[in-house]
Amino acid sequence: MRAIGGLWRWRHNPLRRTTDLIEAWVALTALLLILVAVPVIGAVVGAVAQDALQQSVRDQHRARHETVATVVKKLNRGPLDPDPETSSARDAHSRVLAAWTGPDGSAHHGTVLADLKTPRRGDHFTLWTDQQGRMVGRPLDTATATTHAMLAGFGAAAMSAGLVEGGRRLIVWRMVRRRYARWDQAWDRAGPDWGRTGAGS
């Protein structure tokens, strides 16, 4: 911000170097990009992600079907549901042998995790299957898809802002190195005559 203020102060300053003016313009450009372009990038990425995820929600809800399964018998307690989309801290999962009928009318049975605290033979619970009755994960819901899209937008905006600021810092760093190199060359030229009488100093 100090460099941006320098654009006004350095206009007629006799001590102003060209690199000072360039540094101020680079800072101003980076600030404008962060204020204008970065939010646009975040909004565009979020909107594209939202469209893609909502399409995925629709596809999954067409392809997956909620089915009622019947407990055949309770099995030893198994591991928690490995799919974080389908489980939550309040879900109590029990490992059971269950039977169910697929949407196409086919009969199926297998070991599943049921959301029953104390499952008994004959208890009913819901699970998700594909069109052929094979067990699949719960489809993505609209709220979760929207949350993921918002996170994608925020992530893209943050990454864009980081790239802009990183680019600004790299340009300034290279300018400072070049400035120091020129100072070193000037000192090397002045060094042999430094302090001599009649050397023009």
Side-chain angles (χ1 to χ4, degrees):
M1 296 303 283
R2 191 170 39 135
I4 293 169
L7 278 173
W8 181 260
R9 287 196 312 273
W10 292 336
R11 288 178 310 145
H12 304 295
N13 190 329
L15 298 176
R16 183 198 73 200
R17 296 166 296 198
T18 304
T19 55
D20 294 331
L21 202 54
I22 293 171
E23 185 177 337
W25 278 110
V26 167
L28 179 62
T29 303
L31 179 64
L32 290 175
L33 284 173
I34 288 172
L35 291 177
V36 177
V38 165
V40 170
I41 289 170
V44 168
V45 169
V48 169
Q50 174 76 340
D51 290 345
L53 287 169
Q54 292 302 332
Q55 183 59 48
S56 179
V57 168
R58 289 188 290 274
D59 292 344
Q60 287 185 15
H61 277 276
R62 271 196 300 271
R64 301 179 186 190
H65 306 277
E66 195 171 17
T67 306
V68 176
T70 304
V71 174
V72 175
K73 70 174 181 176
K74 180 180 178 180
L75 302 174
N76 292 333
R77 185 163 181 81
L80 292 176
D81 191 345
D83 184 2
E85 294 291 334
T86 63
S87 61
S88 69
R90 69 178 187 278
D91 291 336
H93 293 286
S94 302
R95 194 162 164 259
V96 299
L97 181 64
W100 67 92
T101 303
D104 62 351
S106 57
H108 298 270
H109 68 279
T111 302
V112 298
L113 289 173
D115 56 349
L116 300 170
K117 288 184 181 177
T118 54
R120 289 184 294 276
R121 182 182 176 87
D123 285 349
H124 299 290
F125 63 97
T126 58
L127 55 82
W128 291 88
T129 67
D130 61 12
Q131 188 60 41
Q132 289 73 42
R134 292 185 298 258
M135 203 169 60
V136 294
R138 180 185 302 167
L140 185 65
D141 61 85
T142 303
T144 304
T146 300
T147 302
H148 286 279
M150 287 174 60
L151 289 174
F154 282 126
M159 190 167 62
S160 300
L163 287 173
V164 169
E165 177 60 15
R168 184 195 70 80
R169 286 176 182 261
L170 180 63
I171 291 169
V172 171
W173 176 75
R174 290 178 63 94
M175 286 170 52
V176 168
R177 282 188 55 131
R178 219 173 296 151
R179 186 183 302 157
Y180 287 157
R182 283 198 301 270
W183 284 351
D184 287 342
Q185 291 168 1
W187 277 108
D188 288 343
R189 285 193 301 270
D193 294 332
W194 184 259
R196 284 190 189 173
T197 48
S201 58

